[in-house]
Amino acid sequence: MSGTALGHGLESLTLFTDPVDLLAYRRDCSVVAPGEPELVARPRDAEEVAAVIARAGRDRVPLYVRGGGSMYAGGVNPHAGGIVLDMAAMDRILELDLARGIVVVEPGVRFGALLEALAPHGQTVGIVPLTGPTATVGGAVSAHALGSGSPRHQSMGDCVAGLEVLLADGTRLRTGSAACAGAGFFQRYCIGPDLTGIFLGADASFGVVTAVALWLVPLPAVRDTLTLGFAGTAAAGDFVTAVQGRELTRNVWYAAGYEGGTVRARMTQAEPACDPATLPGFCVCFDLGGDADAVAADRARLLELAAAHGGAEYAPFDAVYFRRLRYDESYWYSFAGYFSRSRCAILMSSLPSDRLAGFIAAVDAQRAQWSDFMWGAAVVVCRRGLHGGVLVFYDERREWETITKAVDGAADALVAAGCVPYKSGKQWAAQVREMHAYSSVLERLKRALDPAGVLAPGNLGLGHPGSGTGSAD
Amino acid sequence: MSRALPLPAWFDERFGADLYHCASCNYCVDAVWPERGLHHVCATLEHHSPAPGYSGRGFIDTARALLEGVALDAGSVAERVFTCTTCGNCETSCPIGLRPAAIGGALREVLSAADVVPAPVRAARDRIVERGGTSEPAAGPWQAAAATPGDGVAIFAGCAARADGGAATALAGWLAAAGIAAAWQDDGARCCGAALAELGAVREAGAWRDGLNRGGVPRVVLGYECLNHLRAGGDENASSLLAWLDDGLAGGRLALALRDDVAVPRVRLLESCQLKPRPARALTDDERRARELLGGLGVIDDAEGYPNRHALCCGAAGGMPDVAPESASRMAAARLGGDDDALVLTLDGRCAAHLARSSTHEVTDLASFLARYTRLSRAATGS
């Protein structure tokens, strides 16, 4: 069906059908295959979202939902065609309740705008993705964003008090305490099981999020960075495990670990005369925040714990990279631009901290197998466990065919190394389908909530041929 | 109807790396980064159409698609790339230094060469060619002045001075009161080609620029669009009023003070998108000069941060008043805001004229402001 025909009955909405405009909706930052949308609708409120969902359901047309488009798992790529819902115009802050400690926003609110609105009140939110200036709250909720705040929480979902979601049949669902008429959002776990969780990280497979309630968090009074160097990944992994076991992440707003190759690349570029043999084999970096006394005390405890694991402060990497990353460059694109090759493919997984060495070894094996690419590995420290990022720098013009194979191969290798798919989208669809019991329950949920299979087919491995869930063709 | 629009080889050579390095992060579409003074990215998306084809990313996507032989409707492409203010926010917000605005400019050039331009652009271009400038010729100080610069100043007012010769006239009086001879070059009001280049007629614009009688004389150029165009063509003698003034004050040759017979109102210095630090623009230091000069006079607070780095266009640039006048007016209203009754001061006369046309705010350009509220003199001890 043509985009123009799809738009009949939706003329009151902002619609895009011109192929020039549709180009921007074909993909996100990932190396997941682009899609070809026929129509883009840019709703201004939940009623307009409902109209588009109804249209998609009536004509059994695939419907994908897009926030900032800065994710890297392909969840917004409309690989089955159809309609893309661009949520960027739903960018209002609906409610700021300082007494309850809640902010309720439309999904298109960008984190930069949200933080700007909260700052005068001395508040922030628990998780801020590293793509904060352009990432939307709805996208972060739908794709398990991580970033600032991960050491104190884990990912975006841990900061959500409740959602408003439109289901495929038009049901308008409010989760958490807001399920009770008139109660509003203030707690997530109230009435039976956690329905909020079904929609977190689901990339719109089960419904379209139209409002998000986030818990507020006071801004830290002081911040400080600390970088610790270790001889190798095993010691660093043991150290991080010990940090988490002692709850030493309470005042850590961001923490990340960098393999020796990354440390070497940064240091030798900044200080060409430095001797690579003297550099740490792994660095763990902390961005601490809180009351001055607490930050100072935790800094001392981290140093003491590092020493017990053979580590020590390594200020040069902090000065050259980490402090700048946090206070100046701030966003991972600086990492991509650093290498000035073509694009950077990112594959995110989760892993327990004691498997850090295995994660790095798996990346090393991929590096050896696909030596035409430049590979990097880094981890984000969570309250428990790690998010492991694999970065592969490639030339999109010449290497598109091979990069997708390399990244798919890396995904298999990471699972074999005990890592878990993170930010599922479509990037991890094949691996999710291998988790038979889990995948089967997801499919049953999908059939119950979206029997026509119009919502984001392909995400989470649902809606693919032979999956048993509705196909949208 | 879709029509293949082949891109010339130079396009790939010049921009191929940008097209394939873009990470699709969408910072050039919309972003909010308060710490860096970034409050949304694209005036066209905000005030004309939110369709991403109008954005920096849209220009990159479009160019890449055309390079790969995708048949896109050339008229649609033209409609989008010519409805751009050319403010360059998409470039200053790109985390990895890509050049979507330059790509948009290059697409304008390709479309112009293929004679695929929106009707308002064609009309504006024809008017400029016919008149030798953006507006009808008018009398101005350049007609009376024939002095050689000597220890004075050579000035190129540009064709924008025709529409409202107030800035040039004020400047002439201000300089004359200080006993500084002003030599108005090239009739003072010829188009240097900047306005044509903005509309995609790059070859013609280059010819107009080359046809100006520079004579190797250092000169002050009043419009920043003109200045950027001249400097991009290698004219190292072109400078700004602020640079000339800064040089004279720093060298002790000039002295500047507020007039004591005129009350200076509260002033709001409006950032100018034409002064952003971009590769082809050499005089990005003028924002600092303005803040130091006006701050030193006590006229404005010396703001910190990145006041000019991500300035949104007021709607005056890129041909926007011709292509989409209503959108251009909305941009102006948005830049000025609602309630602030301060005198709005812009460094660029074109912005001042557009803002004044589009609102009831009192708006002035730098030359007019200096002439009205300050007294310039040769320093007694100046060398």
Side-chain angles (χ1 to χ4, degrees), chain A residues 59 101 117 254 358:
Chain A
D59 292 337
Y254 185 73

Side-chain angles (χ1 to χ4, degrees), chain A residues 157-162 175-177 186-197 200 215:
Chain A
D158 297 304
C159 308
V160 175
T175 67
S177 57
F186 62 94
Q187 282 193 337
R188 176 160 157 190
Y189 308 110
C190 303
I191 313 154
D194 175 31
L195 288 189
T196 304
L200 302 174
W215 283 299

Side-chain angles (χ1 to χ4, degrees), chain B residues 121-137 159 162 190-191 193 195-197 199 201 203-205 208:
Chain B
V121 173
R122 189 189 309 278
R125 207 173 59 189
D126 291 347
R127 277 199 307 274
I128 294 170
V129 171
E130 184 182 329
R131 296 167 174 171
T134 51
S135 54
E136 296 292 346
C159 60
R162 287 177 173 180
R190 274 185 56 188
C191 176
L196 280 177
L199 299 176
R203 189 180 306 169
E204 296 89 334
W208 283 38

Side-chain angles (χ1 to χ4, degrees), chain B residues 184-207:
Chain B
W184 299 87
Q185 294 200 324
D186 304 308
D187 293 333
R190 274 185 56 188
C191 176
C192 63
L196 280 177
E198 193 172 60
L199 299 176
V202 174
R203 189 180 306 169
E204 296 89 334

Side-chain angles (χ1 to χ4, degrees), chain A residues 388-432:
Chain A
V390 180
L391 300 94
V392 198
F393 297 92
Y394 70 102
D395 183 330
E396 182 149 305
R397 192 171 210 169
R398 296 185 298 107
E399 299 173 328
W400 174 257
E401 295 297 329
T402 46
I403 187 63
T404 53
K405 290 177 185 158
V407 171
D408 288 346
D412 287 334
L414 290 176
V415 171
C419 300
V420 175
Y422 190 68
K423 295 183 178 299
S424 304
K426 297 181 190 69
Q427 178 60 63
W428 289 98
Q431 289 76 18
V432 172

Side-chain angles (χ1 to χ4, degrees), chain B residues 75-101:
Chain B
S76 289
V77 174
E79 207 278 318
R80 282 154 182 76
V81 299
F82 279 102
T83 315
C84 165
T85 65
T86 69
C87 78
N89 247 5
C90 49
E91 292 188 358
T92 53
S93 59
C94 176
I96 54 176
L98 304 185
R99 301 164 294 167

